Amino acid sequence: MPAEKNSTFDVLVVGSGASGGWAAKRLSEAGLKVAIVEAGRPQSDDNFSEHKPAFDLKYRNMAPEIVRKTRPIQMKFDVCNEYTQDWFINDFDEPYTTPADKPFHWMGRLRMTGGRTNVWGRVSLRFSDADFKAASHDGYGEDWPLSYSDLAPYYDLVEKYVGVTGMAEGLEHLPDGQFQPPMPLTCQESVFRDRVKQKLGRTVTLARSANLTRPINGRGPCHYCGPCERGCVTHSYFNSAFTTVPDALNTGNCRLITNAMVHKVLMDPASNRARGLLYVDRVTRQSHELPARAVILCAQSQESVRVLLNSATREYPNGLANSSGALGHYLTAHVRSGGGSGDFPTLGGKHTLGAPVKPVGIYVARFRNLKGQPPYKKFIRGFGYEGESGLDFNWRAPGFGAAYKQAVLEPRASLNVTGFGEVLPRWDNFVELDPQVKDIYGIPVLKIHMSDGENERAMIQDMGDSAGEMLEAAGAKNIRTYAHPSAPRWALHEAGIARMGADPKKSVLNQFQQSHDIKNLFVMDASGFTSNPCQNPTLTIMSLCVRSCDYLMGELKRSGL
Ligand SMILES: Cc1cc2nc3c(=O)[nH]c(=O)nc-3n(C[C@H](O)[C@H](O)[C@H](O)COP(=O)(O)OP(=O)(O)OC[C@H]3O[C@@H](n4cnc5c(N)ncnc54)[C@H](O)[C@@H]3O)c2cc1C
Ligand code: SF4
């Protein structure tokens, strides 16, 4: 394999998404020579289409069968559509497999600089010790090997840079952060917030979200155009493609290598150290080696663990850094198949075409199994809800002619909430390599085994029931609730499978996301999560990553790793 010419890197960072962008920024700003090795193409403002009307597209964004031809899994979540489809993998070129009785939709597989942060929902919530120490509270699983106080300064640092609009609520289990001024709530959201608090004592707040309401670092405040998942020319939401990655490149210490699909971490067995990476150029299909002093995987949980499984050696026959046997196990991903919706009085509001679109909804903080409460009988842990509201025309008005036209103009105000529930880490939810199947680059693919347990099923039922209870308390009409089994299983918040822990016999990484087995190998995406609390993961992914980078730099200085 040819080694890259003139490449002397201190650290190789695999992936340029939420975690990779931060790792590259933190390390290169401190003076280390870094390469970001990214499977996707370069991203640019020229690709953004948030202001492009559907009638400017060839198929008016109305021909899902065109997208389905190449991305039948990716398009199951509507952010993969005619506007954005070529940001995503081709599902046939880069497949994965599942057992026949455990279908799993692995969506959000981006192949662009910025990874999933190009299209993410931006909800940015802190975890607390109710999450990090949940095992001590209810006896299930393992505590995280760190506490809220270890991470709090890093949450501060990340929030200040990312820009999170939010309201302080003073909840111990959903700690407040360094918020930008909140975007206003709609009428329905305010009614829902006030009445749910009054009648049920539950907190409904603005969904804390990585959308700017004040300019920072040359990024403009949001101008409420709506479809952030198609990009943003004013850089008003957080996407690592136009924040952390350019910051890293601007240091002069970082190089971005795109279209570089990492196949393996290369080892020096004599010293038990990672010596670099082997990647396949997605355009030329040539393999290349890159040497470095340390390697950080930030490719998203399943992708990073796939690299480790594909990097097995004689010394680590079951996957690199897997002396514990835990690699690939304890896959978690939120359940979100329970919720509800209802109609609200319009309070004089009128819908107009082209009105501003608030890209941020509401969040209902977890209210089950908290400190000081008796344990909820049906399940352990808890769930929150994301919600959004709308003021629309009455498209379903009956009739025809002039009366129909009049009826359609009647505004309709609605609000819906979707539960996001914690899934317990279980050994038998796992990923492994499928010995039969390779992607078009010749790299073995994952087989994903994932199903819900009793706890998740009971939680989903409560998501539906409690949504109805809250909508009723808020005075909504035409309330509709749902609670489906989450099959086929899907998620966008996968975590675990290279878990952190204090005990190297039971975990893959230490609290700084450093491999217990190989000191110069780190995994800084959500693979290290010891559990997957109901709050969205990315703010914690980024904060942990910065903390682990600081540790890495300290270790490089202290011992050379
Ligand atoms: C539609 C959607 C909505 C979401 N909403 C939210 C939300 O509201 N709040 C929240 O907290 N989270 C949300 N998420 C999840 C969030 O986007 C992820 O948690 C976060 O981006 C993960 O960061 P990461 O660095 O692990 O991976 P990513 O951001 O996905 O970046 C990984 C990068 O690694 C690259 N890569 C993968 N494999 C390889 C390889 N072998 N070699 C080289 N490069 C590789 C990929 O191309 C990609 O660019 C959402 C995700 C999606 C898809
Ligand atoms: S709604 Fe705001 S953040 Fe989203 S694309 Fe428009 S301006 Fe950007």
Side-chain angles (χ1 to χ4, degrees):
M1 280 333 141
E4 282 250 328
K5 285 190 192 119
N6 308 321
S7 47
T8 47
F9 297 112
D10 294 311
V11 183
L12 301 176
V13 175
V14 180
S16 66
S19 52
W22 268 105
K25 173 178 162 67
R26 193 71 173 171
L27 299 173
S28 60
E29 285 179 345
L32 294 183
K33 298 287 176 207
V34 177
I36 305 174
V37 190
E38 165 57 55
R41 290 183 287 126
Q43 183 56 292
S44 127
D45 288 8
D46 297 340
N47 296 327
F48 296 158
S49 60
E50 75 276 22
H51 298 148
K52 189 174 192 164
F55 56 73
D56 274 355
L57 297 178
K58 186 166 178 195
Y59 300 105
R60 313 285 189 264
N61 202 24
M62 292 179 82
E65 50 284 3
I66 303 292
V67 184
R68 192 172 296 120
K69 278 187 183 161
T70 50
R71 290 156 178 98
I73 302 290
Q74 303 311 305
M75 69 169 297
K76 287 185 190 296
F77 205 81
D78 61 4
V79 297
C80 174
N81 52 40
E82 191 182 340
Y83 284 100
T84 56
Q85 56 172 324
D86 64 352
W87 297 1
F88 290 78
I89 60 152
N90 177 317
D91 285 313
F92 300 101
D93 290 350
E94 299 189 50
Y96 62 95
T97 63
T98 64
D101 60 339
K102 291 185 180 174
F104 181 90
H105 292 161
W106 182 7
M107 299 176 292
R109 299 183 68 194
L110 276 287
R111 287 291 179 262
M112 297 297 285
T113 302
R116 287 181 168 185
T117 63
N118 283 285
V119 299
W120 70 314
R122 308 164 307 284
V123 175
S124 299
L125 304 167
R126 292 186 179 204
F127 296 178
S128 75
D129 279 335
D131 307 305
F132 297 127
K133 305 299 169 196
S136 295
H137 181 69
D138 60 28
Y140 183 89
E142 304 281 334
D143 282 340
W144 289 48
L146 70 157
S147 302
Y148 180 68
S149 57
D150 296 314
L151 206 52
Y154 292 95
Y155 277 132
D156 286 348
L157 180 157
V158 168
E159 283 164 344
K160 280 187 199 156
Y161 174 89
V162 162
V164 178
T165 177
M167 294 158 75
E169 301 288 355
L171 301 174
E172 193 181 336
H173 64 285
L174 189 69
D176 295 329
Q178 302 288 331
F179 299 135
Q180 289 212 334
M183 288 187 178
L185 299 180
T186 65
C187 295
Q188 304 93 291
E189 290 167 354
S190 295
V191 168
F192 190 71
R193 169 179 164 87
D194 292 348
R195 295 202 180 146
V196 167
K197 183 61 127 188
Q198 229 172 42
K199 298 198 178 156
L200 299 169
R202 297 175 191 164
T203 299
V204 179
T205 187
L206 178 73
R208 296 167 179 173
S209 183
N211 289 81
L212 300 184
T213 52
R214 291 283 181 276
I216 38 171
N217 304 327
R219 299 165 55 210
C222 173
H223 53 266
Y224 298 86
C225 67
C228 311
E229 69 282 358
R230 302 197 322 235
C232 180
V233 288
T234 51
H235 298 175
S236 309
Y237 75 95
F238 177 82
N239 176 341
S240 49
F242 49 67
T243 54
T244 46
V245 172
D247 275 8
L249 299 178
N250 286 337
T251 63
N253 291 323
C254 180
R255 179 162 150 218
L256 172 61
I257 305 172
T258 50
N259 286 310
M261 183 75 194
V262 170
H263 181 170
K264 286 180 185 196
V265 176
L266 298 168
M267 284 294 291
D268 172 14
S271 60
N272 188 38
R273 290 168 53 80
R275 63 178 174 83
L277 290 170
L278 177 72
Y279 74 86
V280 180
D281 184 310
R282 283 162 55 96
V283 180
T284 64
R285 307 280 173 94
Q286 293 283 311
S287 290
H288 298 268
E289 285 189 11
L290 272 176
R293 291 167 72 193
V295 171
I296 309 178
L297 300 180
C298 293
Q300 189 267 327
S301 298
Q302 293 99 302
E303 298 282 15
S304 289
V305 169
R306 179 182 171 205
V307 170
L308 291 175
L309 292 170
N310 273 319
S311 308
T313 61
R314 196 153 36 140
E315 293 72 25
Y316 297 99
N318 301 317
L320 200 58
N322 190 21
S323 67
S324 65
L327 185 71
H329 291 273
Y330 305 108
L331 175 63
T332 60
H334 290 145
V335 279
R336 41 182 296 189
S337 54
S341 60
D343 295 339
F344 281 74
T346 55
L347 303 172
K350 288 258 181 292
H351 183 55
T352 53
L353 290 172
V357 183
K358 184 163 68 95
V360 175
I362 50 166
Y363 187 76
V364 184
R366 172 179 162 185
F367 50 87
R368 297 285 184 225
N369 295 315
L370 297 173
K371 202 163 90 183
Q373 289 177 349
Y376 191 64
K377 290 206 178 71
K378 295 180 181 165
F379 54 82
I380 59 170
R381 311 289 161 95
F383 60 90
Y385 293 93
E386 284 181 28
E388 52 188 20
S389 62
L391 188 63
D392 205 350
F393 296 109
N394 185 13
W395 295 109
R396 293 194 177 167
F400 56 88
Y404 171 71
K405 284 185 188 162
Q406 196 52 41
V408 165
L409 293 177
E410 276 298 306
R412 282 281 176 275
S414 61
L415 180 142
N416 67 65
V417 288
T418 305
F420 281 66
E422 171 161 357
V423 166
L424 298 178
R426 286 189 284 126
W427 177 266
D428 51 1
N429 281 335
F430 70 101
V431 302
E432 61 180 345
L433 291 180
D434 187 325
Q436 315 293 340
V437 185
K438 291 183 176 169
D439 66 15
I440 54 159
Y441 311 107
I443 304 174
V445 308
L446 283 187
K447 183 165 189 174
I448 301 177
H449 304 250
M450 178 78 168
S451 62
D452 290 343
E454 272 314 306
N455 204 65
E456 287 87 49
R457 282 191 278 274
M459 196 182 276
I460 292 168
Q461 188 55 50
D462 191 32
M463 286 174 181
D465 296 346
S466 296
E469 186 185 27
M470 291 190 294
L471 287 160
E472 210 167 303
K477 301 278 180 273
N478 300 324
I479 295 172
R480 297 163 295 273
T481 63
Y482 60 94
H484 315 300
S486 58
R489 192 66 171 76
W490 68 275
L492 301 160
H493 298 165
E494 303 95 328
I497 60 180
R499 58 178 7 196
M500 288 186 281
D503 182 352
K505 293 205 178 65
K506 296 203 289 194
S507 58
V508 179
L509 307 174
N510 69 13
Q511 61 159 306
F512 299 105
Q513 298 169 299
Q514 178 185 33
S515 153
H516 287 301
D517 293 340
I518 300 158
K519 296 298 169 209
N520 66 341
L521 175 63
F522 292 74
V523 189
M524 295 194 191
D525 50 35
S527 318
F529 282 23
T530 313
S531 64
N532 193 353
C534 66
Q535 297 93 308
N536 308 46
T538 309
L539 183 67
T540 302
I541 293 175
M542 297 191 282
S543 307
L544 275 174
C545 172
V546 180
R547 177 175 184 263
S548 298
C549 283
D550 286 1
Y551 168 83
L552 185 159
M553 289 190 282
E555 288 301 285
L556 269 178
K557 271 198 200 124
R558 198 180 58 80
S559 65
L561 274 185

